[in-house]
């Protein structure tokens, strides 16, 4: 699996969290809820993506099925729409864009979001509004920035792993030898003793 796929998988997992599932080495499944929908009763669609070795230069294989609130007849045209949308995104990671496209499809009453006045890639104003609605696009630079921020957070607060139940956190030798690390370790041990008592 190439680096672009691995970065995209990590980003998708952090975005969709519980709705994301790694089926096997090259296949993922994401359950998409209608925007603003109730998790218990809202309409849902499952997008199953199987990556190819040439991705993102070649299309991955898609599987789409209605999970709740949509009939098979409603979901069947979505597969063609998603394939058409994916063809416009060739050469870049596309799964997140396809997920937002599917959510817009659900929100627009199971119609083509582009035809129903949804997002259009031709108008810069609409693109800016879409980016505000759906967040920042996942690029190598944005992902690297996010990852560095997360790593610095865990370096500043290494005891967070212990509090979160991840007791197997292993600091580097340099961290163990520093005075700051020893002090934080002592504080962490005192905190654990207090919580145990």
């Amino acid at each position: 699996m190439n680096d672009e796929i691995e970065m995209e998988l990590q980003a998708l997992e952090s975005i969709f969290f519980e709705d994301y599932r790694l089926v096997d080495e090259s296949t993922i499944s994401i359950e998409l809820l209608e925007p603003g929908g109730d998790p218990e009763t809202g309409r849902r669609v499952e997008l199953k993506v199987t990556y190819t070795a040439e991705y993102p230069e070649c299309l991955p294989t898609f599987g789409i099925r209605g999970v709740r609130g949509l009939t098979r007849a409603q979901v069947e045209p979505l597969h063609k729409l998603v394939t058409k949308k994916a063809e416009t995104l060739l050469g870049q990671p596309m799964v997140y864009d396809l997920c937002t496209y599917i959510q817009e499809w659900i929100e627009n009453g199971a119609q083509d979001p582009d035809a129903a006045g949804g997002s259009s890639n031709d108008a810069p104003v609409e693109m800016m509004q879409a980016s505000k609605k759906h967040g920042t696009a996942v690029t190598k630079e944005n992902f690297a920035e996010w990852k560095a921020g997360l790593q610095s957070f865990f370096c500043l607060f290494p005891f967070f792993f212990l509090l979160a139940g991840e007791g197997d956190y292993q600091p580097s030798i340099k961290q163990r030898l520093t005075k700051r690390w020893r002090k934080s370790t002592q504080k962490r041990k005192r905190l654990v003793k207090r919580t145990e008592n």
Side-chain angles (χ1 to χ4, degrees):
M1 200 176 296
N2 65 35
D3 291 339
E4 276 190 289
I5 294 175
E6 288 182 19
M7 284 178 42
E8 185 176 33
L9 291 177
Q10 289 176 354
L12 290 169
E13 184 177 14
S14 66
I15 293 167
F16 293 106
F17 196 55
E18 292 177 354
D19 296 325
Y20 170 92
R21 188 170 52 93
L22 186 64
V23 177
D24 61 39
E25 190 176 289
S26 63
T27 306
I28 62 168
S29 170
I30 302 173
E31 275 196 22
L32 301 165
L33 176 67
E34 65 181 312
D38 180 20
E40 300 298 320
T41 60
R43 294 180 293 178
R44 286 184 174 267
V45 172
E46 178 188 27
L47 172 66
K48 199 172 205 176
V49 180
T50 303
Y51 290 96
T52 60
E54 298 84 24
Y55 177 83
E57 302 305 322
C58 292
L59 292 179
T61 306
F62 303 109
I64 300 172
R65 73 177 180 93
V67 176
R68 184 180 336 130
L70 295 165
T71 64
R72 181 177 287 180
Q74 288 175 306
V75 175
E76 281 179 8
L78 179 61
H79 193 275
K80 291 178 185 172
L81 292 171
V82 168
T83 304
K84 191 186 318 180
K85 183 72 171 176
E87 288 171 354
T88 66
L89 299 169
L90 275 175
Q92 64 185 17
M94 65 181 74
V95 177
Y96 176 75
D97 292 329
L98 296 177
C99 290
T100 58
Y101 182 81
I102 292 170
Q103 287 177 320
E104 288 175 7
W105 178 85
I106 298 170
E107 187 177 39
N108 290 329
Q111 296 176 7
D112 182 1
D114 290 339
S119 64
S120 171
N121 293 335
D122 298 333
V125 174
E126 290 180 12
M127 286 177 64
M128 285 177 34
Q129 290 172 346
S131 69
K132 286 180 185 177
K133 181 178 178 184
H134 299 295
T136 306
V138 179
T139 62
K140 286 183 180 182
E141 295 80 22
N142 291 347
F143 184 78
E145 185 179 317
W146 171 81
K147 185 178 177 183
L150 187 64
Q151 287 174 336
S152 66
F153 170 81
F154 286 124
C155 287
L156 291 174
F157 303 102
F159 62 90
F160 179 78
F161 286 101
L162 187 62
L163 295 177
E166 300 282 335
D168 58 345
Y169 171 70
Q170 294 296 318
S172 66
I173 293 173
K174 186 177 180 181
Q175 286 176 322
R176 283 187 227 148
L177 298 177
T178 63
K179 189 174 182 181
R180 176 188 281 173
W181 175 254
R182 279 181 282 176
K183 284 184 178 181
S184 68
T185 304
Q186 291 168 355
K187 288 179 185 178
R188 202 171 48 237
K189 287 179 182 177
R190 282 186 290 222
L191 182 62
V192 169
K193 283 182 183 178
R194 272 191 257 153
T195 56
E196 289 176 353
N197 294 334

